[in-house]
Amino acid sequence: MTDGKRLHGATVVIMLLTRLKDFIIPIVFVFFVGASGGGVGYFAMIALPVLFIFSAVYSFLYWLTYWYRVEDQELHVKQGIFVKKHRYIQRSRVQSFDMSAGILQRMFGLVKVQIETAGGGGEPDVHLIALDRAEAKRLRQRLLAKPEVSAGDEEVESTDLKERDEPDELEPEIEASWALGFKYLLFAGMTSGGVGLVLSAVLALFSQVDVLLPEAFYETTIGFFLSSTITFLLFLVFMIAFFAWLISIVITIVKYGQFTVIKRGNDLVISRGLLERKQLTLNVHRITTVRFVTGILRQPFGFTTIYVESKGGGSADEQQSTILVPLVPRRTANDVLAKFLPEFVVEDDIGIKPLPRRALFRYIMRAVVPILLVAVPLSFVLPFGAYALLLVLLGIFLGWIRHRNSGFNVSGDYLILQWRLFNLNRAVIPRKRIQAADVTQSPLQRWRRLSTYSVSILASMSGKSFDIRDIAAGRGEDLLAWYSKEVDTPDFSREEEKGKSMI
């Protein structure tokens, strides 16, 4: 394929700088060790220039041998320096078109494009490192536009396949839009609960660079802590947590700054990010589930986050889901959702069917047992370790609130599941999007006349399942009958009549 298009020429520089960024820790290591005159330092001082030259040559050859072209109903991609790879992707298989602009792309006024299909696996099918923004929009329009079909088949009219000089004029008008204001953005950062992630990242970074620290540093540090008072140590821990909280706020602002979502025809275009500007396009017909997630810090203030599960899209830092609205008052969440996905709006007054009281003991035991596994050994090892057993009270509370907040219901052709680990989750799942429904029952559940109901959906690059543990056994059979369309509306009024399971 020689009549296709190449990536922008800045791809070479972007790839080279990206690889240098990946080697920043070895470069710092060379700086310290090389300055001391050690043998390892001389070796690394020679290896790094070789690595730089190799990366530059590889980046140039990658750009030189990468071609793409949209032809007929397919996207053709050819790549490979030594091993040539041809990839053909049908337009109808494209699930999502993710357009983003990192710092390196923004330096050249370019964007990065990731294209996913239903069978893409864990990585995007096509990764275009640098494109002109106009070219990226033109490519998105050609891949995501609905083909014009004839009366008897789905062949695309030839005129739809020709290159469009003015693609923007053909884009549908904006039907709805929503933007995250700075006040809500700041509050989202304050209640994101990302302190733990920041501390984990700091510890992971420290574990990578601890070999560079001198032995005297460890001796001084340990001696300092042993000579400090309990009050000072508590103050130090508080200050570390406080700065981690500030860092998590900054991360949230950078990540979700300038967050907007617009609806054009059947497409939802979600844009976000201050440093790396990301733009994800989702087709509303490929969305399988809507989730409302209320963080434990946001619940007292009545705010929630709206996620969507889609066949395509999603990111690893969001558990392969996509955030539709980062923060919105719960009382107005359905109003915002109605702008973009009105078919998923289920009014709150429909309520949730609670779990039976006989399931409470099982919920409490699931929360308490992990605490006992940690607290009991600590009570023998540490001088005041017995106080750790007080955490059992916290486990009892967690078990009680998880049981109290979990439940289910059915509204027409929509299943509503609600559960909590720490955050409160509510999923709205259309019956037609459920791939499979199961009811399982362990021996202990059979003894307590309980069961676990679970459903599977298509989401992102793989499937996803949701389950509710310890519902009444008869209710699980009712939900199965609703899914198999044996009944349109389960009779949940017979709460305890069907106590004996048929499983």
Side-chain angles (χ1 to χ4, degrees), residues 118-184:
E123 296 293 333
D125 294 86
V126 177
H127 187 193
L128 306 176
I129 296 174
L131 290 180
D132 287 327
R133 186 174 294 275
E135 169 63 14
K137 289 183 178 180
R138 184 161 47 242
L139 183 62
R140 180 180 65 184
Q141 184 176 355
R142 297 197 67 189
L143 292 178
L144 299 183
K146 185 178 180 180
E148 297 178 11
V149 297
S150 60
D153 54 39
E154 296 182 352
E155 292 183 358
V156 181
E157 297 291 342
S158 59
T159 54
D160 188 51
L161 304 174
K162 294 179 180 179
E163 199 74 38
R164 295 179 175 90
D165 295 331
E166 300 294 339
D168 293 343
E169 296 180 1
L170 300 177
E171 287 187 349
E173 295 183 355
I174 297 176
E175 299 177 8
S177 64
W178 184 89
L180 180 65
F182 181 76
K183 183 175 66 175
Y184 280 6

Side-chain angles (χ1 to χ4, degrees), residues 317-490:
D317 54 353
E318 295 167 0
Q319 290 78 48
Q320 301 302 333
S321 300
T322 300
I323 287 184
L324 180 68
V325 177
L327 189 72
V328 63
R330 186 65 184 89
R331 65 179 184 280
T332 62
N334 278 339
D335 296 335
V336 176
L337 184 63
K339 292 183 177 181
F340 307 106
L341 299 168
E343 64 274 20
F344 281 88
V345 174
V346 175
E347 297 299 332
D348 293 334
D349 55 9
I350 189 174
I352 291 294
K353 298 295 181 184
L355 303 181
R357 291 182 60 84
R358 58 181 180 272
L360 176 59
F361 178 76
R362 289 174 57 82
Y363 272 78
I364 290 178
M365 290 304 297
R366 275 195 289 267
V368 168
V369 168
I371 295 176
L372 288 176
L373 292 177
V374 177
V376 170
L378 290 179
S379 65
F380 290 101
V381 175
L382 300 179
F384 300 98
Y387 288 106
L389 294 175
L390 294 176
L391 294 175
V392 172
L393 298 177
L394 176 62
I396 294 175
F397 174 75
L398 283 176
W400 171 78
I401 197 171
R402 287 170 183 170
H403 173 270
R404 182 171 179 268
N405 291 148
S406 298
F408 60 91
N409 209 339
V410 167
S411 175
D413 286 333
Y414 289 83
L415 172 68
I416 302 104
L417 300 179
Q418 181 169 293
W419 71 95
R420 175 196 290 278
L421 185 59
F422 294 101
N423 298 334
L424 182 64
N425 294 266
R426 174 180 285 203
V428 179
I429 312 170
R431 178 161 58 181
K432 63 182 180 181
R433 299 299 186 189
I434 298 175
Q435 300 297 308
D438 300 285
V439 172
T440 58
Q441 196 175 45
S442 67
L444 291 179
Q445 284 180 318
R446 188 177 299 112
W447 175 53
R448 300 296 293 172
R449 291 174 288 123
L450 302 171
S451 63
T452 298
Y453 180 72
S454 62
V455 295
S456 301
I457 61 168
L458 291 177
S460 186
M461 302 174 189
S462 59
K464 183 174 285 187
S465 63
F466 304 104
D467 59 62
I468 295 294
R469 293 181 175 182
D470 298 329
I471 65 175
R475 302 287 79 78
E477 298 165 17
D478 289 339
L479 291 174
L480 278 183
W482 169 81
Y483 173 66
S484 61
K485 298 185 178 180
E486 295 177 4
V487 296
D488 291 332
T489 304

Side-chain angles (χ1 to χ4, degrees), residues 94-353:
V94 175
Q95 301 287 351
S96 70
F97 190 99
D98 189 356
M99 195 163 62
S100 61
I103 296 177
L104 297 177
Q105 280 84 7
R106 295 175 77 171
M107 288 172 56
F108 299 95
L110 306 173
V111 296
K112 177 175 62 179
V113 170
Q114 294 181 347
I115 301 170
E116 298 174 3
T117 65
E123 296 293 333
D125 294 86
V126 177
H127 187 193
L128 306 176
I129 296 174
L131 290 180
D132 287 327
R133 186 174 294 275
E135 169 63 14
K137 289 183 178 180
R138 184 161 47 242
L139 183 62
R140 180 180 65 184
Q141 184 176 355
R142 297 197 67 189
L143 292 178
L144 299 183
K146 185 178 180 180
E148 297 178 11
V149 297
S150 60
D153 54 39
E154 296 182 352
E155 292 183 358
V156 181
E157 297 291 342
S158 59
T159 54
D160 188 51
L161 304 174
K162 294 179 180 179
E163 199 74 38
R164 295 179 175 90
D165 295 331
E166 300 294 339
D168 293 343
E169 296 180 1
L170 300 177
E171 287 187 349
E173 295 183 355
I174 297 176
E175 299 177 8
S177 64
W178 184 89
L180 180 65
F182 181 76
K183 183 175 66 175
Y184 280 6
L185 175 63
L186 181 61
F187 185 75
M190 296 171 64
T191 58
S192 66
V195 177
L197 294 177
V198 173
L199 290 176
S200 301
V202 171
L203 292 175
L205 179 63
F206 182 80
S207 65
Q208 297 296 318
V209 302
D210 61 345
V211 295
L212 303 177
L213 301 177
E215 291 291 335
F217 173 81
Y218 292 98
E219 296 173 358
T220 304
T221 303
I222 293 175
F224 172 76
F225 280 107
L226 292 178
S227 61
S228 301
T229 62
I230 295 295
T231 303
F232 179 78
L233 291 178
L234 291 177
F235 175 77
L236 186 62
V237 170
F238 170 79
M239 291 303 297
I240 292 174
F242 178 72
F243 281 108
W245 180 63
L246 293 180
I247 293 174
S248 69
I249 293 175
V250 173
I251 292 175
T252 301
I253 291 176
V254 171
K255 186 176 180 181
Y256 295 107
Q258 298 181 355
F259 190 103
T260 60
V261 52
I262 62 175
K263 184 177 182 181
R264 293 179 184 271
N266 291 325
D267 291 334
L268 294 178
V269 182
I270 302 171
S271 306
R272 72 180 192 192
L274 295 181
L275 294 180
E276 183 178 6
R277 190 69 179 160
K278 294 187 176 181
Q279 187 178 84
L280 176 65
T281 302
L282 297 177
N283 189 297
V284 295
H285 298 304
R286 290 170 178 153
I287 292 176
T288 56
T289 297
V290 168
R291 283 193 297 132
F292 300 89
V293 180
T294 304
I296 196 167
L297 297 178
R298 295 172 181 173
Q299 191 167 354
F301 302 97
F303 284 89
T304 190
T305 301
I306 303 177
Y307 287 80
V308 294
E309 310 293 345
S310 173
K311 295 181 288 184
S315 60
D317 54 353
E318 295 167 0
Q319 290 78 48
Q320 301 302 333
S321 300
T322 300
I323 287 184
L324 180 68
V325 177
L327 189 72
V328 63
R330 186 65 184 89
R331 65 179 184 280
T332 62
N334 278 339
D335 296 335
V336 176
L337 184 63
K339 292 183 177 181
F340 307 106
L341 299 168
E343 64 274 20
F344 281 88
V345 174
V346 175
E347 297 299 332
D348 293 334
D349 55 9
I350 189 174
I352 291 294
K353 298 295 181 184

